[in-house]
Amino acid sequence: MDTPVTSLPVTFTAPMPGFEDLHDFSLRSVEGAAGLYALEAGSTPVRLFLADAAVFAPSYAPPIPAAALEALGLDEREAPQVLIVVNHAPGSTTVNLMAPIVLNRGTGRCTQLVLDGRDYPLRAELNSL
C-alpha cells in the first residue's frame, strides 16, 4: 500500500535564488514515489521536484551552519530534513548538491543553502549517488 499524499505549507527564511518574488509554497509528497516531493508555489505555476537526501543520496551530508539551524528553529542536536533539487532531462536525471534545501518538518520553515567553495556539484547524476 502506498503512503498517502501529504502536503505541508512551507515558509523560506530567505527568498530562494531566482524566486525572490514568491513567498507561499507547499511541499507535496509524490504518490508512489517515497522520498520524492513537489515544491509548488501557490500564487504562480512554479513547481520544483525535490528528493529526500536520506533516501536518494544517503552519504550526502552538507555542513549546515548554526545560523541556518537557528533560523529554522532547530538546535545542533536536531537534524533538519535535507532536500535536493531534481533536474530531469531526456536520458539524464541530476540533482543539485551545491544548494540543498533544509527543512524543519515540525514548523514548515526551510532555507536553501548555497555551499560556496565546497566540493559539491551543481549537477550530480542521480543514479551515481
Side-chain angles (χ1 to χ4, degrees):
M1 174 183 269
D2 286 339
T3 304
V5 176
T6 58
S7 183
L8 174 70
V10 295
T11 304
F12 281 84
T13 60
M16 288 178 62
F19 298 103
E20 289 82 2
D21 295 333
L22 301 178
H23 304 284
D24 56 332
F25 290 93
S26 64
L27 185 67
R28 182 179 53 80
S29 59
V30 175
E31 187 174 4
L36 188 62
Y37 302 90
L39 179 68
E40 301 169 331
S43 59
T44 181
V46 170
R47 178 185 295 162
L48 298 173
F49 287 98
L50 306 176
D52 186 335
V55 174
F56 290 93
S59 64
Y60 176 62
I64 301 172
L69 291 173
E70 184 177 327
L72 294 172
L74 298 170
D75 63 38
E76 292 180 2
R77 295 178 306 257
E78 298 174 286
Q81 183 175 11
V82 177
L83 302 167
I84 46 182
V85 178
V86 177
N87 300 299
H88 178 70
S92 173
T93 300
T94 61
V95 291
N96 178 346
L97 298 181
M98 186 183 289
I101 294 173
V102 291
L103 170 68
N104 178 337
R105 252 184 124 48
T107 64
R109 291 184 58 79
C110 60
T111 192
Q112 185 169 28
L113 301 177
V114 178
L115 304 173
D116 291 329
R118 304 281 182 183
D119 192 24
Y120 296 108
L122 184 61
R123 289 184 179 87
E125 290 288 332
L126 183 59
N127 63 2
S128 68
L129 298 177

